Amino acid sequence: MDDRAKAPARTTLRTIQADLPVNAVWHIWLKAMVPGIQGALSFSNANGKFGEVIASNAEEYSFRIYHVFGGGPVEISYDTDTTSVSVAYWFTAQEVLETGITVVHTNPANAPPDLPESYHFRPPFGWMNDPNGFGRFGGRPHLFYQHYSHGLRWNNMHWGHAVSSDYLRWRHLPIFLFPSEDLMARPDRRGGAFSGSAIALPNAPGIRVFFTEKVQDRAPEQEIQMTATSSDLFSAGQAEVILPSRPEGEGLTFDFRDPYVFKGPDGHWKMLLGSQSAEGGVILLYETLDVTAAGGWTYLGKLLVEKRHATTAIECPCMLPLDGVLTDPATRWVLIYGLMNSVDAATGRRNLTMAEVGWFDGRDFSREFIQELDFGADNYAFQAFLDGDAPVGMGWLANWAEASPTIDFPTAMTLPRTLKLGGNGLLTPPIGAAESLRGYILDRTRLAAGQGVSFLRGAVEILFELKEPGAPFDLQFDHANVDLALVQDEAGLSIRHRVGDGPSPNFIAPGAKVRRLRIFLDYGSIEVFADHGRFVGTKRIAGLEPVRAARFAAGTENVAHATVWSLRL
């Protein structure tokens, strides 16, 4: 008898099975577990092993592409003693925009949280921050975003990617941009494909993306501006440098990032970039006469200098027309930007986002008024674009006051919002399609009567109206770990978010006297839209425990009516 037949099965062999269509493409990240011993992953079917991918690097995951031309059941296997696999997904190029990717493997370090009925956008695995390249291309909304695939902590930046039909229900697409191979070969350095934007190619199908490439401690420039194109809307071509250095003579720090490209009122492409100088945070303005925006970028000057808040750099500037065609000199524009590491001394809130409304002639911006985009401050890195004649935008539902490269931090994007003028300011209500999230009514009478209303999973919308603008109330939410409430009093409208006994920032819209409130609760977040979006507060709730119930602890007599819906995608 053959002794090998009696040997026990290897316990370190991991297998993953998939039933594939013809011409499937695999994206796999793997690394060696032991220096000097290659990591390997093999493909097999009923006829036996037919392919293999290998990786020698034991410090960083290596990206591999593998084509399976025949369809049917396929098994991938690897030895966990020698090989670690972070992510494996497959797709077909012909159908990926319609069907998305199929993720067949993650690991505990990068797996997404299991959140039934959650309706905010989250990545299929790994870390996410800023929205990038937000726009409608090929007839569909596309969202790119800052992404690290292999853990729930910030690391070398990629661009994740998703496509939708309504800004709410998304299909995940293949990773779009990757850090350079040189950067991935140096685990002691950090950087990658930082934030940017996208435009439709003017003379061909597809898009052109713009992004900052950062390499920590690179000399003379840590951050440079790059561009790449995609004709198929899901894979990027070779990236090229378009701005290799900061403008001279402006006294800028090394911060030079987040290109936002848009069409100006003179018909020329413009680019905004965020930076910092001794004067304060700055937004730099560039222009090109190239109709493809592929090159020829010329520095026009500083569009804005921010001196009021102690920011370390302006981030993620964006700009678009609000109330008319972009060629009309009377059209008002909105300029939105984040203030990295800023602190509001009056409230203790950090990393504020500002919105300035005024007029833009292609070179200069004249401010009419300024307001905070969000009094909760967790609508950061907001990016918007003109979808037809309707501005649409979204932000990262967090900010760097709580997020850190040293902690695991599952997060989400905000609900998409429209932007319009009204109510003596800028309004940013949720898009109209948000009403399609309503599943069934939980309550129409009990909340307004002062009774508690329980939530099954915490994904709810609450809509209530007060009898008079500014009438006081205290709407308390039952949460396992957080003292959470929405309060209106003589000081204004505020979100109370306290964890433990330590001090907490005052998330307040000072002086607000609102009447109509719309509240969206989800795992790990609250979004408040008051008076049709005139005052908006977005706050990440610590942890991912759901809000369990709500009741008015005070002010019930001021509530005209209230309705609570259960929400789901």
Side-chain angles (χ1 to χ4, degrees):
M1 180 179 294
D2 188 344
D3 288 341
R4 288 176 297 179
K6 300 178 181 179
R10 290 176 56 189
T11 58
T12 59
L13 186 67
R14 173 72 185 272
T15 60
I16 304 166
Q17 296 178 334
D19 195 0
L20 301 180
V22 175
N23 294 328
V25 179
W26 284 88
H27 283 184
I28 300 169
W29 284 259
L30 70 163
K31 70 177 180 180
M33 293 294 290
V34 182
I37 299 177
Q38 285 185 333
L41 179 148
S42 64
F43 290 81
S44 60
N45 57 20
N47 297 319
K49 179 179 174 180
F50 63 85
E52 184 178 54
V53 294
I54 61 174
S56 300
N57 193 343
E59 296 179 325
E60 292 284 346
Y61 284 98
S62 298
F63 172 60
R64 296 289 184 264
I65 300 174
Y66 192 83
H67 293 260
V68 179
F69 296 104
V74 169
E75 184 175 273
I76 60 177
S77 58
Y78 62 97
D79 185 346
T80 58
D81 281 345
T82 61
T83 308
S84 175
V85 178
S86 173
V87 177
Y89 61 75
W90 63 264
F91 62 94
T92 61
Q94 297 82 359
E95 299 178 347
V96 67
L97 293 174
E98 303 294 338
T99 62
I101 61 174
T102 298
V103 180
V104 298
H105 175 76
T106 59
N107 59 46
N110 64 353
D114 181 18
L115 303 174
E117 299 186 1
S118 178
Y119 54 90
H120 284 82
F121 177 85
R122 301 176 190 273
F125 42 80
W127 162 276
M128 178 183 72
N129 55 293
D130 306 356
N132 300 150
F134 191 35
R136 182 179 291 273
F137 308 113
R140 297 184 179 94
H142 284 249
L143 172 66
F144 303 87
Y145 53 91
Q146 291 285 273
H147 176 64
Y148 179 67
S149 302
H150 314 304
L152 300 177
R153 303 183 184 189
W154 185 95
N155 206 298
N156 288 324
M157 284 289 96
H158 305 56
W159 274 28
H161 187 194
V163 66
S164 178
S165 58
D166 61 0
Y167 298 106
L168 297 170
R169 297 159 181 90
W170 296 90
R171 291 185 296 279
H172 298 295
L173 296 181
I175 302 300
F176 188 77
L177 289 177
F178 298 80
S180 68
E181 292 184 6
D182 291 344
L183 183 65
M184 296 303 290
R186 288 283 307 275
D188 60 314
R189 304 174 88 176
R190 285 292 178 262
F194 274 34
S195 292
S197 56
I199 62 172
L201 291 175
N203 301 318
I207 58 173
R208 177 177 295 280
V209 300
F210 304 85
F211 65 98
T212 299
E213 183 195 65
K214 176 164 184 174
V215 177
Q216 179 183 334
D217 299 327
R218 177 172 57 188
E221 299 289 347
Q222 294 186 30
E223 298 179 351
I224 61 176
Q225 312 316 313
M226 310 280 288
T227 188
T229 61
S230 172
S231 59
D232 58 20
L233 296 180
F234 71 86
S235 62
Q238 181 66 39
E240 299 177 348
V241 178
I242 52 171
L243 289 177
S245 60
R246 295 161 289 166
E248 297 180 356
E250 297 285 23
L252 303 177
T253 63
F254 283 117
D255 301 286
F256 179 55
R257 58 178 172 270
D258 307 340
Y260 180 81
V261 174
F262 64 105
K263 189 65 69 72
D266 52 11
H268 301 317
W269 290 112
K270 313 291 179 178
M271 179 191 294
L272 305 181
L273 286 156
S275 188
Q276 176 77 3
S277 70
E279 298 178 272
V282 297
I283 297 177
L284 310 172
L285 177 64
Y286 285 76
E287 175 186 84
T288 181
L289 305 184
D290 182 350
V291 296
T292 71
W297 289 96
T298 301
Y299 177 57
L300 299 182
K302 296 177 181 177
L303 185 71
L304 177 141
V305 179
E306 161 56 49
K307 300 179 180 180
R308 292 157 301 158
H309 299 279
T311 181
T312 59
I314 284 182
E315 293 194 310
C316 302
C318 78
M319 191 177 194
L320 63 161
L322 275 177
D323 63 346
V325 296
L326 61 86
T327 56
D328 187 345
T331 294
R332 282 175 288 189
W333 294 63
V334 60
L335 175 64
I336 299 172
Y337 52 91
L339 299 174
M340 180 71 169
N341 293 327
S342 60
V343 179
D344 179 34
T347 64
R349 295 170 305 131
R350 296 175 56 192
N351 298 304
L352 308 176
T353 296
M354 310 306 295
E356 302 196 14
V357 172
W359 295 272
F360 178 57
D361 64 6
R363 286 180 173 262
D364 297 303
F365 178 75
S366 301
R367 180 201 300 165
E368 180 184 12
F369 66 86
I370 183 172
Q371 69 182 60
E372 275 194 60
L373 185 69
D374 195 292
F375 69 85
D378 280 346
N379 177 17
Y380 193 71
F382 189 84
Q383 187 169 105
F385 76 101
L386 203 60
D387 189 3
D389 59 359
V392 179
M394 64 165 38
W396 179 36
L397 211 166
N399 79 56
W400 294 107
E402 294 179 356
S404 166
T406 63
I407 61 172
D408 290 352
F409 193 83
T411 189
M413 294 298 181
T414 68
L415 280 174
R417 293 112 192 259
T418 58
L419 298 89
K420 61 183 77 173
L421 291 174
N424 298 317
L426 175 68
L427 310 182
T428 57
I431 59 171
E435 292 189 5
S436 71
L437 297 171
R438 294 172 178 172
Y440 56 89
I441 292 177
L442 286 172
D443 174 64
R444 274 183 171 162
T445 59
R446 287 173 291 144
L447 188 66
Q451 301 174 35
V453 177
S454 297
F455 309 144
L456 180 61
R457 291 190 174 93
V460 300
E461 178 190 350
I462 302 171
L463 176 64
F464 69 95
E465 189 164 341
L466 303 170
K467 294 176 182 177
E468 298 291 339
F473 67 85
D474 186 338
L475 179 60
Q476 295 189 355
F477 302 102
D478 179 18
H479 190 276
N481 306 317
V482 178
D483 175 12
L484 185 69
L486 181 66
V487 178
Q488 181 163 259
D489 55 23
E490 65 280 0
L493 178 68
S494 61
I495 297 171
R496 185 171 71 232
H497 179 276
R498 298 173 183 160
V499 181
D501 298 327
S504 174
N506 187 11
F507 300 103
I508 187 169
K513 297 183 181 298
V514 305
R515 182 172 187 173
R516 186 179 188 273
L517 294 107
R518 193 175 178 189
I519 304 160
F520 288 84
L521 295 166
D522 199 356
Y523 298 89
S525 67
I526 178 172
E527 291 172 278
V528 178
F529 300 90
D531 286 351
H532 307 284
R534 174 58 185 87
F535 299 97
V536 177
T538 305
K539 182 71 190 78
R540 177 184 176 269
I541 303 171
L544 289 173
E545 290 293 321
V547 174
R548 298 177 294 205
R551 70 177 184 89
F552 281 102
T556 306
E557 68 279 5
N558 296 322
V559 178
H561 57 80
T563 305
V564 183
W565 285 270
S566 175
L567 302 185
R568 65 181 303 168
L569 286 175

